[in-house]
Amino acid sequence: MTLNTGDDRRILLIAANDTFCHVHQNLAELLTVADHGEKLGGGVEFFDVTGRRLHPRFSADWRLEDLQAGNDAADPEAVRARLRAVVSHLVRYVRDHPDVLARSRITLDEALARVPALDGPDLSHDLSALPDHLEHDSGNWMHNAMHAAGWAD
C-alpha cells in the first residue's frame, strides 16, 4: 500500500510519551530495524510526512511487517507540537547529563546551539531538521543523545 502521495516517503517514529523520535527515509528502511518497542523501552507511533497516523501490522511473532494509513485526517500541527516536545525533552536531558555528548566530541554549548528550532513552514521541513535514523551512527550527537534521553525521566 502507498503510505503517502508524492515522492517523500519518510516515516516518523515517535515515542508515545514524546521523549524520542527517529526519521526513517521509507518503510523498507524502517523495517530493517527490528523490535522498536522492546529496544527503545516503550510504545511508539508512526506518522507520514503529511502528519497522517500510520498503523502497524505485525507478524505472528510480533515483528513489525507493515504500516497502513489510518482513516483519520492528517494533523501535521499536532505532530509538529509533539516533535517540539521531544526536542524540549532532549534539551533538558542533555543539560542535566552533558556527559552523553562526550562520544560525539561536542560541547554542551555547541550542541544546544545546533538544536533545530522546528519552526519551518511545514512538517516536512521540520522532519528534515531532525537527524535521520542511521543505525550505529556514532557521529551524530543528536541521534545519540536522543537514544540516551528516550524514556528517561
Side-chain angles (χ1 to χ4, degrees):
M1 173 179 195
T2 300
L3 295 178
N4 58 9
T5 58
D7 294 331
D8 194 343
R9 303 279 184 224
R10 289 179 294 170
I11 296 170
L12 172 67
L13 175 153
I14 190 167
N17 65 357
D18 299 340
T19 59
F20 179 90
C21 71
H22 267 321
V23 178
H24 292 271
Q25 290 303 303
N26 54 49
L27 180 61
E29 178 193 85
L30 184 140
L31 291 176
T32 64
V33 182
D35 300 324
H36 288 290
E38 181 179 330
K39 181 178 178 181
L40 300 175
V44 296
E45 297 172 86
F46 304 95
F47 295 88
D48 69 13
V49 297
T50 70
R52 183 174 49 173
R53 182 178 301 277
L54 303 173
H55 299 281
R57 192 180 83 208
F58 297 97
S59 66
D61 63 350
W62 288 102
R63 292 233 181 254
L64 180 63
E65 285 188 331
D66 196 9
L67 295 172
Q68 299 291 318
N71 293 325
D72 295 338
D75 192 350
E77 292 310 311
V79 175
R80 292 177 81 188
R82 291 185 66 187
L83 288 178
R84 287 189 291 274
V86 169
V87 170
S88 292
H89 172 76
L90 175 68
V91 167
R92 282 190 305 276
Y93 186 86
V94 170
R95 281 189 174 134
D96 291 344
H97 304 90
D99 54 303
V100 301
L101 302 172
R103 200 170 114 194
S104 300
R105 298 181 180 158
I106 188 171
T107 69
L108 177 60
D109 288 340
E110 290 170 328
L112 294 176
R114 294 180 186 175
V115 172
L118 301 182
D119 58 359
D122 57 28
L123 177 59
S124 178
H125 183 273
D126 289 350
L127 292 179
S128 295
L130 295 169
D132 287 340
H133 174 78
L134 299 171
E135 192 73 11
H136 310 297
D137 180 3
S138 61
N140 186 317
W141 77 266
M142 193 170 174
H143 172 108
N144 295 327
M146 193 79 72
H147 277 280
W151 288 277
D153 294 326

